[in-house]
Amino acid sequence: MSLTAGCNSSDSGTDGPIKVGAINGITGLFQTPEVPKAVKAVFEEVNAAGGINGRKLELISKDDAMDPSRSGQAARELIQSNGVVALAGSSSAVDCGLNRATYSKNKIVSIPAIGVDPACFSSPNIAPVNPGPYALTTAMLYYASETLKRDKVCLDYTVLPGSGGGIEGAIKKWTELTGKTLTHKNLAVGQGDPTRYLVADKNAGCQAVLYNATVGPWFAQARTQGMQKVDFILAANSYTDANAKTIPADMTSYAGTEWQPYTDPTLPGNDRWAKIIEKNGIQKTAFSQGAVMAADIFVQVLKTIKGDITRESVTKAFKEMKPINYPMVGTPYVFGPGNEHNPIQGSRFVKAEKGGWKVLPGGFTVPGKS
């Protein structure tokens, strides 16, 4: 038992709630307000059934507004002042890179609902429940070249600061798997008039273009450029009901999803998610899928702990956990003892059709696996 038990409620004891932290983007440029709502809904379901060994789960979510100083402060408060045993369901664009050392120093684990920056997937104490933009990019490239059989694959991305290396690594992995290279690449696509980017793609003879920025203007201009025969493959952030409505009927567009496509609640795993979301009046988004999954995984692992549930025992449980098959994703989730974690691989693809998204057959595309 820790000698500092009297200083921090996370260190020992079986009384009171099990405090769980999360750092979410509620305000600022990267907003995911549905995520902590969904995590809390799962925790409330567990609490209504008696909690974990009679103890209630208490979510303490802090908004970092995509502000580095606020994110760092939030992590310190959760660990030092709030005494959380772990973080589960975080959804911040800056948390992992800023706080990875803090988590390692304090021997606390984080199970983000949404991993965004490269540090989310290359840190010993962080393991997201989503593939992330890098594994997803590899899957999108693989889908373009191996499923759609396109020879000239191109990429036009808007890249967050510090994330360029992750995208380059994803491209390299695709090349290693397939022996193929990009025909054209731009990692500095802006939010203004997309004409110059599309003209460059057209001149390069691109047959498939990966794209991750604003959808409406991009497709309007692509249509003007006569690019109806090009396959445009959108990243998971573009997979929304609103975007489907903006894509012209004569344009071909796919989107890679990180979980089972949320627009079809009958898919494996989505029935549970839809029940939680609908019951609590939470917005249906892919991000809320990650929230429910992160909360479910967290609860499952907590239930394996014998004895006191403390920061130490929770960290040990995740480091030693067995893989969990969760039907909403393409591969089993496992945290494990390694120095980096990207357990969820692969993407399921949808196609824009009649103002909505049609789920394509074939299940998840996991690069390199049959």
Side-chain angles (χ1 to χ4, degrees):
M1 202 62 69
S2 171
L3 294 175
T4 59
C7 300
N8 192 314
S9 62
S10 75
D11 289 330
S12 68
T14 56
D15 296 328
I18 300 168
K19 296 181 179 180
V20 185
I23 299 176
N24 303 105
I26 307 301
T27 58
L29 294 175
F30 187 71
Q31 297 185 13
T32 58
E34 69 273 31
V35 171
K37 291 178 183 178
V39 173
K40 185 179 180 183
V42 173
F43 285 3
E44 288 177 346
E45 179 187 67
V46 173
N47 291 342
I52 306 292
N53 295 334
R55 296 176 66 188
K56 300 293 180 68
L57 292 168
E58 179 185 342
L59 178 68
I60 305 173
S61 168
K62 293 186 181 292
D63 173 24
D64 71 2
M66 203 173 161
D67 180 301
S69 61
R70 283 184 62 170
S71 192
Q73 181 182 352
R76 291 189 296 272
E77 288 178 353
L78 288 169
I79 294 168
Q80 297 168 9
S81 303
N82 300 122
V84 301
V85 299
L87 286 89
S90 290
S91 55
S92 161
V94 296
D95 162 46
C96 297
L98 288 166
N99 297 317
R100 60 186 296 180
T102 299
Y103 299 150
S104 294
K105 179 182 177 181
N106 288 276
K107 298 180 180 178
I108 190 170
V109 293
S110 174
I111 302 89
I114 306 163
V116 180
D117 73 71
C120 295
F121 308 94
S122 59
S123 301
N125 283 43
I126 305 173
V129 301
N130 65 320
Y134 317 109
L136 181 65
T137 293
T138 300
M140 290 164 63
L141 289 166
Y142 196 86
Y143 188 79
S145 65
E146 308 309 302
T147 300
L148 299 179
K149 304 297 183 184
R150 296 307 197 180
D151 296 321
K152 293 185 176 182
V153 180
C154 305
L155 186 147
D156 289 311
Y157 268 17
T158 297
V159 179
L160 292 172
S163 297
I167 297 299
E168 291 287 8
I171 297 168
K172 181 180 178 182
K173 183 176 179 181
W174 167 67
T175 296
E176 290 170 349
L177 286 170
T178 64
K180 299 170 184 178
T181 57
L182 289 174
T183 297
H184 173 73
K185 176 182 69 177
N186 187 340
L187 297 182
V189 173
Q191 296 296 321
D193 183 357
T195 302
R196 64 186 183 279
Y197 310 121
L198 288 159
V199 168
D201 290 335
K202 188 176 180 179
N203 290 340
C206 299
Q207 298 171 332
V209 177
L210 274 66
Y211 179 70
N212 73 342
T214 306
V215 172
W218 180 268
F219 278 91
Q221 186 53 232
R223 189 171 188 274
T224 299
Q225 294 296 324
M227 300 175 73
Q228 281 86 344
K229 293 185 178 181
V230 175
D231 290 327
F232 290 97
I233 306 176
L234 306 179
N237 61 299
S238 298
Y239 171 50
T240 68
D241 294 331
N243 279 337
K245 292 179 174 61
T246 69
I247 298 171
D250 58 349
M251 300 296 296
T252 304
S253 176
Y254 304 86
T257 70
E258 297 187 279
W259 298 276
Q260 292 281 11
Y262 78 90
T263 44
D264 185 350
T266 68
L267 293 172
N270 278 0
D271 50 349
R272 157 146 183 85
W273 158 77
K275 180 181 177 181
I276 288 281
I277 297 303
E278 290 169 359
K279 180 181 178 181
N280 292 276
I282 300 168
Q283 183 182 7
K284 284 187 175 182
T285 67
F287 288 166
S288 67
Q289 287 178 295
V292 172
M293 180 178 173
D296 278 348
I297 293 287
F298 185 72
V299 169
Q300 284 190 49
V301 174
L302 251 60
K303 287 181 176 179
T304 68
I305 298 174
K306 297 177 180 179
D308 290 352
I309 293 178
T310 66
R311 185 178 301 165
E312 182 181 16
S313 67
V314 172
T315 297
K316 184 174 185 291
F318 272 94
K319 295 282 187 177
E320 297 177 356
M321 71 175 284
K322 295 180 180 179
I324 293 175
N325 289 305
Y326 200 86
M328 201 187 284
V329 289
T331 53
Y333 178 89
V334 64
F335 200 112
N339 288 324
E340 55 184 42
H341 311 283
N342 199 169
I344 305 302
Q345 299 285 314
S347 176
R348 184 116 194 224
F349 287 85
V350 295
K351 185 177 182 181
E353 199 170 276
K354 298 179 180 178
W357 296 105
K358 177 185 177 181
V359 179
L360 298 176
F364 284 89
T365 296
V366 180
K369 296 183 179 181
S370 59

